[in-house]
Amino acid sequence: MGIYTLYFSLLWDVMHAGLFFFILAVSFWLLGRKAEKVWNLEFLRDPKKLNDDMN
């Protein structure tokens, strides 16, 4: 079972909707920041690939 599925199933009825969606939004934002860092590091390892993608 995924962490977001567990989050929805356990807290949907218990938590205030505004707080529920705020926590969900913050978690997506943190996950996106981590993904961008990983994605950008991939291009830093091979500068030729970055130049080829730009052209």
Side-chain angles (χ1 to χ4, degrees):
M1 185 180 279
I3 192 163
Y4 286 108
T5 305
L6 184 63
Y7 176 73
F8 272 99
S9 65
L10 293 178
L11 298 177
W12 180 255
D13 292 328
V14 180
M15 192 180 293
H16 185 272
L19 182 61
F20 179 87
F21 285 112
F22 176 76
I23 293 171
L24 189 65
V26 168
S27 70
F28 283 150
W29 178 71
L30 291 172
L31 185 66
R33 278 184 47 160
K34 180 72 173 174
E36 283 182 357
K37 287 180 184 179
V38 169
W39 186 75
N40 285 332
L41 287 177
E42 183 180 313
F43 289 105
L44 292 176
R45 289 189 208 126
D46 190 6
K48 281 193 336 186
K49 187 174 182 182
L50 180 63
N51 289 335
D52 291 343
D53 289 340
M54 293 284 234
N55 295 331

